[in-house]
Amino acid sequence: MSNLPSIERYLPFMFRSASFIEADLQAYAELLNRWQSVQNLVSRETLSALWERHFADSLQLLPLLHSTDKIFRDLGSGGGFPALPLAIACKGDGRHFHLVEPTARKVSFLRTVARELDLSVTVHGSRIEQLDSRETPDVITSRALASLPQLCSWMAPFFGSKTRALLHKGKEHGEEVREARAQWDFDVVEHRSDTDPAGVVLEISNLRERPTA
């Protein structure tokens, strides 16, 4: 049975035909299942619902992208979400994805997927704080990594005037926004999650640290 029904609502926003996208996502799923036995890439409870819980959850960012968004930086990539499904959907359209992950085995997995699927991806095997911040991405993504105040601290060095962050957040997103505003100024738009009834995608722009008194 085709797995496309779980992601078909995003097909109008994908650069490639459905059959090629499904084939690459299926290859990604097979690699993830193979590596899962030696490296915990996703929780075992969600592995059986991979297409909805991880692929569709990642691809819901597609309608939020602008045509000018070409350089992406994904923080704490882990098993590759949301960056790798996005790279698969955008394959061939000139976008490039930088994945940041400090764990060596996860880095090896991410590089294997990128190589075998011929994706426009660079994997940085380092901590976020060690990255060169001179290159300004168009979009920063992160999923299930840290609270918003911590994410703001990590993201701020990479923010340019046109940079946006698209962040998957759960039911505590309102409290996280309030806590982050104690130290940071930013504009935020909340997009209701397609896959989590209590979740949102926070679209953050104009991030800057509040001046000290």
Side-chain angles (χ1 to χ4, degrees):
M1 180 181 295
S2 173
N3 289 293
L4 274 177
S6 64
I7 65 166
E8 63 185 2
R9 57 192 179 274
Y10 307 116
L11 290 177
F13 305 98
M14 298 188 190
F15 183 74
R16 310 163 65 210
S17 69
S19 59
F20 287 116
I21 291 167
E22 184 178 25
D24 275 354
L25 287 174
Q26 187 60 53
Y28 178 17
E30 290 170 2
L31 285 167
L32 192 147
N33 275 280
R34 194 183 312 157
W35 282 66
Q36 179 76 8
S37 61
V38 295
Q39 176 64 55
N40 188 32
L41 299 169
V42 299
S43 66
R44 281 177 285 184
E45 293 77 11
T46 64
L47 192 59
S48 61
L50 182 62
W51 283 73
E52 182 67 20
R53 292 289 299 275
H54 297 291
F55 289 171
D57 191 48
S58 299
L59 294 173
Q60 68 175 303
L61 299 187
L62 285 172
L64 305 180
L65 302 185
H66 302 162
S67 60
T68 53
D69 292 334
K70 297 299 183 182
I71 303 297
F72 292 72
R73 179 159 289 180
D74 185 61
L75 305 182
S77 298
F81 306 109
L84 289 183
L86 291 174
I88 288 170
C90 299
K91 189 174 178 179
D93 73 350
R95 289 178 165 133
H96 191 83
F97 295 79
H98 293 267
L99 280 63
V100 184
E101 172 55 50
T103 305
R105 286 186 177 179
K106 292 180 180 179
V107 169
S108 296
F109 168 74
L110 297 171
R111 287 174 175 165
T112 297
V113 176
R115 182 180 64 253
E116 295 201 7
L117 300 184
D118 192 26
L119 301 178
S120 183
V121 162
T122 300
V123 181
H124 302 269
S126 67
R127 298 177 62 84
I128 298 167
E129 303 93 325
Q130 298 170 329
L131 289 175
D132 187 341
S133 61
R134 287 174 294 181
E135 183 177 3
T136 301
D138 300 305
V139 177
I140 296 173
T141 58
S142 184
R143 179 176 180 261
L145 177 62
S147 67
L148 185 58
Q150 179 62 72
L151 285 173
C152 288
S153 179
W154 282 332
M155 294 189 303
F158 309 111
F159 248 78
S161 60
K162 297 182 180 180
T163 302
R164 295 175 300 130
L166 298 174
L167 309 173
H168 290 75
K169 283 294 172 185
K171 62 182 180 180
E172 303 298 331
H173 61 272
E175 181 61 28
E176 290 191 33
V177 169
R178 288 189 289 272
E179 290 178 359
R181 288 200 184 280
Q183 184 178 355
W184 303 94
D185 285 323
F186 51 86
D187 298 326
V188 61
V189 178
E190 295 183 5
H191 303 276
R192 182 176 297 177
S193 173
D194 291 342
T195 59
D196 178 1
V200 299
V201 173
L202 295 181
E203 181 176 356
I204 290 179
S205 56
N206 299 316
L207 176 65
R208 57 214 179 273
E209 192 166 13
R210 283 182 175 273
T212 56

